[in-house]
Every structure is written in C-alpha cells, then in structure tokens.
Amino acid sequence: MQLLAISGSLRAGSSNTAVLEAARLVAPAAVEVFLYQGLAALPAFNPDQDTLERGSLPPEAVDLRTRVGRADGILVCSPEYAHGIPGSLKNLLDWLVGSVEFPGKPVALISASSRSVHVQAQLLEVLTTMSARLVAQASVVLAIPPGTTGAEAIAADADLAAVLQGALAAMATAINAGE
C-alpha cells in the first residue's frame, strides 16, 4: 500500500515534515509512505491552465496528479498560518480540484500541534468540498514534547510512534475496506 505524505510547510526543519518522515520510519512493511517534494515548485493555480485538452497543464501539476493517482491514500500534515491553511498547501489543493485522481481518495489529517485547530477545520471543509474520503480514525494530533525535533527523534519516542502506527493501521484498514 502506498501513501502520499504532503506537508503544508516549506520550512527547513519543519515539525510537520518531520512527523510525516517519522510516519515513514514507523510504517509497517506493507505500507510505504512517500513524501511529496514538489510543493514549492507548483506554480500559482490558474484555471486557464487546468486542462489537459489544450496541453496547458503545467508539468508540476501533472506530476502532482500522477502521484495522487498512484497513491492508495494521502496523509496531510500542515502548520497553521494566520488561523488558516498555508497558501502553498491551498495552491496544491486548488490544482487537485479539477483532477479525476483526487475525488474519493482516502485522506488522513495529522497535526503536529494541538494548537492548530483552525487549519484542521479549514482542511476538513476544503477536502470535504473536494470529495475526499476523510478517514477520521487515521486523523490524529501528536503532542510533540519540547526539544523533540527531527523524524528520528519522533519515531524513537514510544508514545509518538504508537500514535503514528495507530494512524497508519487505521488508514490501511479503511483503504482495504473501501471505507
């Protein structure tokens, strides 16, 4: 099973990206977690370019849609900026609105902070509108202790690893059950 992990942060050393990398480290053998690396390269969404018929879909958007299409499910972990979705992540989602690959795709929201309540609510609204299949049992909030930085440290923390492993197991169960 392949899960595409999308971090809403462009920051080097992002705790959101580290959480997704930790998920890759603690994933069971049957689950592969691939981190999407193209967020910064996506051009600003332009509906005039959102068509394959005219050949104008940017190659970065084609790559994103291809990766989404190949994935059995998607993990999203995002910071909250000004009580909302970071612009770069919203831009990525806009490129998926008109795609045939995204509707019905299982999606889990993972939060690296219990303080990121607004972004979670906005992501739920946007992803529901986009016809994502939100997997509530796989959507978790991690309480990362101060001083715990990097994927290896998160994966080495027994409590955090257990939360991530539970989320991945719930995601696998939902995908296998077609829920």
Side-chain angles (χ1 to χ4, degrees), residues 3 5 7 10-11 48-49 53 55 70 76 83 101 106 125-126 129 136 163-164 173 179:
L3 301 178
S7 173
L10 296 175
R11 272 187 65 232
D48 290 339
Q49 293 182 318
E53 291 79 32
R70 279 195 300 238
V76 177
H83 283 193
E101 298 85 0
E125 175 67 23
V126 170
T129 300
V163 171
L164 287 173
T173 298
E179 296 174 351

Side-chain angles (χ1 to χ4, degrees), residues 13 49 65 90 92 121 162:
Q49 293 182 318
R65 289 178 178 184
K90 180 61 170 81
L92 177 145

Side-chain angles (χ1 to χ4, degrees), residues 15-80:
S15 59
N16 297 279
T17 303
V19 163
L20 294 172
E21 289 174 344
R24 181 181 52 78
L25 293 173
V26 302
V31 177
E32 294 179 274
V33 178
F34 296 96
L35 188 64
Y36 177 68
Q37 303 282 348
L39 185 64
L42 277 171
F45 177 71
N46 179 345
D48 290 339
Q49 293 182 318
D50 190 14
T51 175
L52 287 173
E53 291 79 32
R54 296 191 318 202
S56 61
L57 191 64
E60 298 87 356
V62 172
D63 177 66
L64 170 64
R65 289 178 178 184
T66 299
R67 290 175 190 276
V68 167
R70 279 195 300 238
D72 296 300
I74 298 172
L75 307 174
V76 177
C77 189
S78 180
E80 179 173 302

Side-chain angles (χ1 to χ4, degrees), residues 13-16 18-19 22 112 142-158 160-161:
S14 162
S15 59
N16 297 279
V19 163
L142 282 98
I144 300 174
T148 304
T149 59
E152 293 79 15
I154 294 169
D157 182 295
L160 297 177

Side-chain angles (χ1 to χ4, degrees), residues 76-111:
V76 177
C77 189
S78 180
E80 179 173 302
Y81 294 148
H83 283 193
I85 300 171
S88 54
L89 179 58
K90 180 61 170 81
N91 184 56
L92 177 145
L93 295 173
D94 288 343
W95 279 113
L96 294 175
V97 167
S99 74
V100 296
E101 298 85 0
F102 187 80
K105 189 66 69 171
V107 176
L109 299 177
I110 299 175
S111 180

